[in-house]
Every structure is written in C-alpha cells, then in structure tokens.
Amino acid sequence: MSVVSRGLQSLTRREILRFVRRPYNTFLPPFITNILYFSVFGVILGDRISDIGGVPYIQFILPGLVVLGAVSNAFENASFSIFHGRWNEYIHEALTSPLAYWEMVVAYVVSSALRGILIGILIAGIGAAFTPVRTLANPFYAVAFLGVITTLFAAFGVIGGLVAEDFDHLTVLNQFILRPLVFFGGVFYSLDALSGVARTASYLNPMVYMVNGVRYGVIGVSDIQPDTSLVVLSGLTVAVLVVDVWLFKRGYGLTD
C-alpha cells in the first residue's frame, strides 16, 4: 500500500471521526427536527390532506425530508470542515502532506457524503415509525440518487468552505439558499398542484429532480423522469468535483 493511499485513508478517517465523536451535534438536531416534521405535517395535517399519487400524504413527504436532511448535512459538514481548517490553520497539515489534490478532495467529500447518507437513513427510520414503508419501490434509484446528491452537495460544500470569509457566510449558504430551494423542490407538494409560471419555474429548481428521484426510489411516485435526472445529476457531480480539485490546485482560499 502506498504512502498516498495511507494518507487518503487517514484524512478520511479523521473527517469521519470528527462528526461521529460529536453525536449530540450530528444526530440529535435532525432527530428532533424530523420528529416535529412528521408529527405536524404527517400526522396532524396529513389526515386532512388527500392522498397524492395514490399514497398517503405522510409517505409522500418522507423522501423529501430525507433529501432535505441528507443534502443539508453533507453540505454543512464539508463547508464547515474546510472553513474551520482554514480558520485554525490546521488544513495546512493536509496541504503539506504527500496527498494529491484530488485525494484531499475525495477525503472531504466522501466523509461529508457519508454523514449525509447516515442522516438520510436516520430520517427514513423516523419516518418508518410514523408510517409503514416496508420495502423500497425501486431500491436502485433510492440508493443511486441518495449517493449522487450527497456527493454533489458535499462537493458544493467544499466550494462553500473555500469561498466563505466568516462563519456567518456558511449559515447564509445553508439556511437562506440551500434549505429554501429544498422546500420549494416539491418536498411537501406535487408539481401537479402547480400551474402556469409556478410550475414552469419549479423545473428550474434542481432540488425538484433530487426530491422526485428519491421519491421514485422509495415509494415509486415521481413528477420527473428519473433516468434523465440521474444522468444529469451524476454529470453535474463530476463537474463540481473537477472544480473542487482545480480550486485546491490553485490554493484558492487555502494560502495567504
């Protein structure tokens, strides 16, 4: 095994342990938040809303909440890890190591995507306690979409961590850009409920394709053709990863 491979494993392990060792910060907030989501939107309001696509409303919102938690945590983990390393200057340890730039990016992205996936599974487990989803309708699409979108937003998080100038910027990116896009991405409603400009504008929101892709994998219902969405999102993920490596090579935000 090469020194570079050991370095990649070590950096990835460090980044994974960084959030695993803080379970109260990593897992407790989404646990409580999603219990509230399912209680209010699924149970209290869900009984007053008719089925969508032939499935109960609480099952309809489950995949969207999984996407919301998964992409938010993947983005947050990567952006915070990069920025915190810049802020405290310990990221220079990785920069001066024999790691290739692409290996640094892989370590940050893989660890952040893993956090997103774990949170997604946690939310799915909470949802299963509120509504019976015994089997995945299309397991391949559920796994593929969750893997692609968490990797994509982990890669976006790397960019966010490099361009941020203070911790407030990270909050703005996550709370005021990412989350609103997810909420307007069809988490709580079907595109069939929209018409005219609102429906057309929804197709410009990339979250619509992610939410519907995971929804198709979990319950077999989607407003969007899943195959095309998966191919486009995979291509976008590769493109963003290339940008990440390029920024690391340039030293953007990493060197004075």
Side-chain angles (χ1 to χ4, degrees):
M1 184 180 296
S2 68
V3 174
V4 173
S5 297
R6 291 196 188 97
L8 174 58
Q9 291 180 12
S10 297
L11 182 56
T12 304
R13 181 175 180 273
R14 186 193 76 178
E15 291 302 308
I16 292 174
L17 290 176
R18 190 179 63 80
F19 68 80
V20 169
R21 286 174 172 171
R22 304 178 65 187
Y24 293 111
N25 291 337
T26 302
F27 302 108
L28 188 59
F31 179 81
I32 295 175
T33 299
N34 281 277
I35 285 180
L36 295 175
Y37 277 141
F38 283 111
S39 298
V40 175
F41 292 100
V43 178
I44 298 176
L45 296 179
D47 291 339
R48 295 169 173 79
I49 300 176
S50 59
D51 292 356
I52 299 179
V55 298
Y57 183 68
I58 191 171
Q59 288 187 15
F60 181 83
I61 67 173
L62 170 58
L65 293 176
V66 169
V67 172
L68 174 60
V71 300
S72 297
N73 276 269
F75 180 89
E76 178 184 338
N77 192 83
S79 59
F80 179 83
S81 183
I82 294 289
F83 182 76
H84 193 262
R86 292 170 53 210
W87 186 270
N88 291 287
E89 298 185 349
Y90 63 79
I91 198 171
H92 298 304
E93 297 176 4
L95 295 175
T96 56
S97 71
L99 284 169
Y101 294 113
W102 69 266
E103 289 179 302
M104 298 178 199
V105 170
V106 166
Y108 286 112
V109 169
V110 166
S111 57
S112 300
L114 177 61
R115 174 173 173 174
I117 291 172
L118 291 175
I119 296 301
I121 294 172
L122 173 65
I123 296 171
I126 296 171
F130 283 86
T131 179
V133 180
R134 296 179 181 178
T135 59
L136 298 178
N138 300 284
F140 168 77
Y141 288 97
V143 173
F145 270 101
L146 188 60
V148 168
I149 64 177
T150 51
T151 302
L152 173 60
F153 276 88
F156 274 131
V158 171
I159 297 176
L162 291 174
V163 302
E165 297 180 1
D166 55 44
F167 287 101
D168 290 336
H169 289 175
L170 299 181
T171 301
V172 169
L173 290 172
N174 197 355
Q175 300 295 330
F176 298 105
I177 297 178
L178 176 57
R179 285 182 178 268
L181 284 174
V182 177
F183 275 109
F184 285 103
V187 173
F188 298 104
Y189 58 87
S190 170
L191 295 185
D192 292 336
L194 306 177
S195 61
V197 176
R199 186 181 179 94
T200 302
S202 294
Y203 288 113
L204 300 177
N205 183 353
M207 298 299 180
V208 168
Y209 303 90
M210 302 177 195
V211 170
N212 277 277
V214 175
R215 181 173 288 141
Y216 180 76
V218 176
I219 60 176
V221 175
S222 178
D223 297 316
I224 306 292
Q225 212 289 329
D227 292 321
T228 303
S229 300
L230 185 58
V231 171
V232 173
L233 289 173
S234 298
L236 179 60
T237 301
V238 172
V240 178
L241 288 171
V242 170
V243 173
D244 289 345
V245 175
W246 178 71
L247 290 174
F248 263 75
K249 285 184 177 180
R250 284 193 57 194
Y252 186 90
L254 297 170
T255 57
D256 296 331

